[in-house]
Amino acid sequence: MTRLRKIGTVPIFLLALSAAAWAQPVVNVYSSMAEKEVRQLVAEFERRSGVKVNLWRSGKNRVLERVLREARGGRYEVDVVHNPAPEMEALHNEKLLRRMDSPRHAELIPQAVPAHHEWAGPRVYIFVQAYNTRVVDKAGLPRTYGDLLAPRWKGRVAIEGKEQEWFYTLVQAMGEAQGLEFFRALAANGLQVRMGNALLTNLVVAGDVPFALTVYSYLPEQQRRAGAPIDWIALAPTIAATDAVGIAARAPHPELAQKLYDFMLSDGQALMAEMGHVVSQRRMAHELERFNLKFIDPAAVIQDYDRWTKIFEDTIYNR
């Protein structure tokens, strides 16, 4: 019988396997993208690059909090952060991202690349209004936000509970006094609050929420194409934002991080488009123009974030 050679109590072949695993290049990623979709992106990047991705996925606030907490504790473990633009702008303010001068930036719409170049947005979130086609008559759909104050919409409208950036931008577009007056009246008309865009979209499909005020356009569109009883409209002004990918200022694997960064803005972006996402390529600019979008300004939102979060929560909960 063949005897295993050992070093101490560990067989040599196990040490060899361990050394091979240790030698494989690794990049650490924190992302708030939907679990199923970010796993697809990661798998494709690993297949093409031979680089292993250590992925930690959570909600946007938890991703932001983890990066901040680790940096304040002197732990620099993350290489790439993928989160909505306002949360990434907060990391820029804390000097926790590095400037990137990728040639991929020239291929994106201007709103996807801030002047400091510390993040770039591969996707565009278009905030639309989704409705259940079995519950809501298409002929009776609102044409303006003000139409939602009619008695027939009482208790039939829901909003996602963490959309203070959307709220801030829309209120400013309406005029602050007029915008806040509208939202107070909407809350008094029985506005429902739900947590999570995907959940809110599913509640519309189920008919539990007849009309959702804030969902990302790709979510109801995916469900509609799959045959679900859902469709969407885009009330004006239509608010939009980008997500963002950036590299940590003290990334432990900066060269590998740049490979993933460039992938997210090229082949990864093409894969996102196949998933039904609206991507930020300049070739999409003409399609985006039909919405006459008002983009969220991440720097403006972050500047007074706590105050507007409180105004948002007090207003939608009708406190």
Side-chain angles (χ1 to χ4, degrees):
M1 184 169 115
T2 303
R3 299 183 63 187
L4 295 174
R5 291 179 58 205
K6 295 184 178 182
I7 297 179
T9 59
V10 182
I12 286 178
F13 85 95
L14 288 180
L15 287 174
L17 287 174
S18 177
W22 184 262
Q24 184 178 11
V26 174
V27 62
N28 302 315
V29 179
Y30 300 167
S31 176
S32 61
M33 190 178 188
E35 180 87 22
K36 180 180 178 181
E37 294 175 342
V38 73
R39 294 286 176 192
Q40 284 183 253
L41 279 173
V42 162
E44 184 62 15
F45 174 73
E46 290 178 331
R47 186 185 71 81
R48 295 183 183 217
S49 68
V51 176
K52 177 176 172 52
V53 175
N54 283 336
L55 174 66
W56 182 76
R57 190 267 162 202
S58 191
K60 63 180 183 179
N61 290 339
R62 292 190 65 197
V63 169
L64 174 61
E65 289 165 4
R66 179 169 180 175
V67 177
L68 292 172
R69 183 176 64 252
E70 289 182 351
R72 288 164 185 165
R75 293 168 54 204
Y76 301 100
E77 299 177 4
V78 65
D79 292 298
V80 176
V81 185
H82 181 207
N83 225 9
E87 285 70 24
M88 295 296 282
E89 193 66 17
L91 295 181
H92 158 72
N93 288 346
E94 295 291 327
K95 304 186 186 309
L96 293 177
L97 298 175
R98 66 175 58 198
R99 180 182 174 90
M100 297 297 298
D101 291 311
S102 171
R104 300 294 182 185
H105 291 172
E107 301 168 4
L108 308 180
I109 61 174
Q111 296 89 344
V113 185
H116 53 65
H117 283 215
E118 290 184 12
W119 53 259
R123 294 182 295 170
V124 177
Y125 299 129
I126 302 175
F127 291 89
V128 300
Q129 293 70 50
Y131 64 96
N132 185 291
T133 55
R134 294 174 182 166
V135 178
V136 176
D137 182 6
K138 189 172 184 178
L141 287 169
R143 297 185 177 182
T144 68
Y145 287 104
D147 290 345
L148 293 171
L149 302 180
R152 66 189 182 85
W153 288 107
K154 186 174 181 64
R156 305 181 75 204
V157 180
I159 188 172
E160 202 282 326
K162 292 190 179 296
E163 298 297 5
Q164 50 265 56
E165 296 98 340
W166 171 88
F167 173 82
Y168 166 84
T169 306
L170 182 56
V171 166
Q172 296 303 314
M174 290 179 167
E176 188 169 318
Q178 183 178 348
L180 290 175
E181 181 181 358
F182 161 74
F183 275 104
R184 292 185 188 113
L186 185 65
N189 204 33
L191 180 66
Q192 301 179 47
V193 182
R194 296 290 185 270
M195 293 297 181
N197 275 276
L199 172 63
L200 185 53
T201 303
N202 289 336
L203 289 173
V204 173
V205 170
D208 296 334
V209 170
F211 190 91
L213 190 59
T214 52
V215 294
Y216 303 143
S217 61
Y218 74 91
L219 290 169
E221 185 61 20
Q222 286 175 342
Q223 296 271 23
R224 185 188 70 81
R225 290 179 181 179
I230 191 172
D231 208 340
W232 56 273
I233 59 174
L235 294 174
T238 303
I239 308 303
T242 71
D243 66 347
V245 59
I247 297 179
R250 298 182 66 173
H253 312 102
E255 293 181 2
L256 300 180
Q258 181 156 359
K259 285 186 178 182
L260 179 56
Y261 182 90
D262 286 337
F263 170 81
M264 291 286 284
L265 299 178
S266 55
D267 293 338
Q269 197 178 42
L271 183 55
M272 290 182 228
E274 291 176 11
M275 296 173 184
H277 292 279
V278 179
V279 296
S280 61
Q281 283 283 327
R282 283 185 179 271
R283 61 181 170 76
M284 294 293 296
H286 181 71
E287 181 176 337
L288 295 174
E289 284 173 3
R290 69 187 177 95
F291 291 102
N292 193 22
L293 299 175
K294 173 71 173 175
F295 274 83
I296 292 170
D297 181 345
V301 168
I302 291 299
Q303 186 175 358
D304 210 4
Y305 189 82
D306 291 343
R307 174 173 171 262
W308 275 97
T309 295
K310 186 177 188 308
I311 292 172
F312 171 71
E313 292 175 352
D314 287 350
T315 302
I316 68 168
Y317 287 104
N318 197 22
R319 293 171 180 167

